[in-house]
Amino acid sequence: MIRRTYWSDALAKPTRFLNFLFVALFLSLLFVSSAYSQNVNEIFQNFKHAYDKSDNFSANFEETTLFANKKSVARGRIVFRKPNLLRREYVGRKDASKVIQITVFDGKYGWTYTPTLNQVNKMKLNNPKGQLFPGIGASLEDFEARFDMVLVPDEFANPKGIHNIELTPKKDFANPNVKEKFQIWVKSDGWLPVQVGHEIELEDGSRQSAIVKFSEIKRDKELAPDLFKFVVPEDAEVINLSEN
């Protein structure tokens, strides 16, 4: 019997929800530039302009998920480089120097390694050219056609210069089996994303949500040349989940 961890299973059977958490979410996080007095269309144009100029993004993160009234919290580090390179490390709750799982997207394949199992899951990326949000490709050209965007007032966050953009798929692009929304919180001091969220409601009425908070955010820093190259550890079991 093949052993797999929860997040390894997520790689084996990706969904919009998990893609948002692990890949697409992060590919959307490089910049939004606006003042809250601006409307959402102006904010989006600033976002697009800043994203076009950005090369990479790195941060520590805290990821909180809620499903069936069960809450889980995970922490780690993540680095993204346009258009589709990603490195994410989950670390121990008590010891941040202990890596408990590593995921690397090298542009062609996604690799997830769990040291305690000495097991690697390998999967061919569906879109090797990268994507900014699930299903919309590597650019923002058709973003406004696919999503309705609104600014959500927040009496606690707004005075701190943090603004919440809420996005919902338009009817022609929505999954008929679920209701969902995305949220991005950006801070006017540098206009970097400080938090992102995703919530879906299934046909049976059950809900699942995720909030990812970022800290120690850095943009356009020099990155190690081998950061997005994955080398299979010696004697590790490799499970190839690729179709080809």
Side-chain angles (χ1 to χ4, degrees), residues 36-102:
Y36 192 71
S37 60
Q38 292 179 300
N39 63 45
V40 71
N41 292 321
E42 292 173 320
I43 291 176
F44 170 71
Q45 292 304 321
N46 288 325
F47 172 31
K48 181 177 183 300
H49 177 68
Y51 175 82
D52 288 343
K53 295 195 304 181
S54 302
D55 175 70
N56 65 68
F57 177 100
S58 60
N60 293 338
F61 69 86
E62 180 179 278
E63 175 187 282
T64 303
T65 58
L66 184 64
F67 179 64
N69 294 322
K70 294 182 179 180
K71 178 182 177 180
S72 64
V73 179
R75 297 176 177 86
R77 300 178 288 268
I78 192 163
V79 184
F80 162 66
R81 185 170 188 176
K82 290 168 57 178
N84 59 356
L85 302 179
L86 178 77
R87 184 181 184 91
R88 184 183 65 250
E89 299 178 354
Y90 284 98
V91 300
R93 292 186 178 182
K94 296 182 179 180
D95 184 1
S97 66
K98 181 180 180 181
V99 177
I100 59 177
Q101 191 173 79
I102 301 172

Side-chain angles (χ1 to χ4, degrees), residues 122-137:
K122 175 184 177 182
M123 180 177 175
K124 188 173 182 179
L125 299 179
N126 292 330
N127 184 4
K129 294 183 179 180
Q131 59 180 11
L132 186 64
F133 275 96
I136 71 168

Side-chain angles (χ1 to χ4, degrees), residues 164-184:
N164 181 2
I165 304 171
E166 183 176 282
L167 310 100
T168 54
K170 292 186 177 182
K171 183 177 180 180
D172 291 343
F173 301 96
N175 184 334
N177 298 319
V178 301
K179 296 178 181 179
E180 66 180 331
K181 66 179 179 181
F182 304 96
Q183 291 179 296
I184 303 175

Side-chain angles (χ1 to χ4, degrees), residues 12-35:
K13 298 180 180 180
T15 65
R16 282 180 61 89
F17 177 66
L18 292 173
N19 281 342
F20 181 75
L21 287 180
F22 299 141
V23 188
L25 251 189
F26 226 77
L27 305 186
S28 70
L29 300 182
L30 292 182
F31 252 130
V32 175
S33 176
S34 74

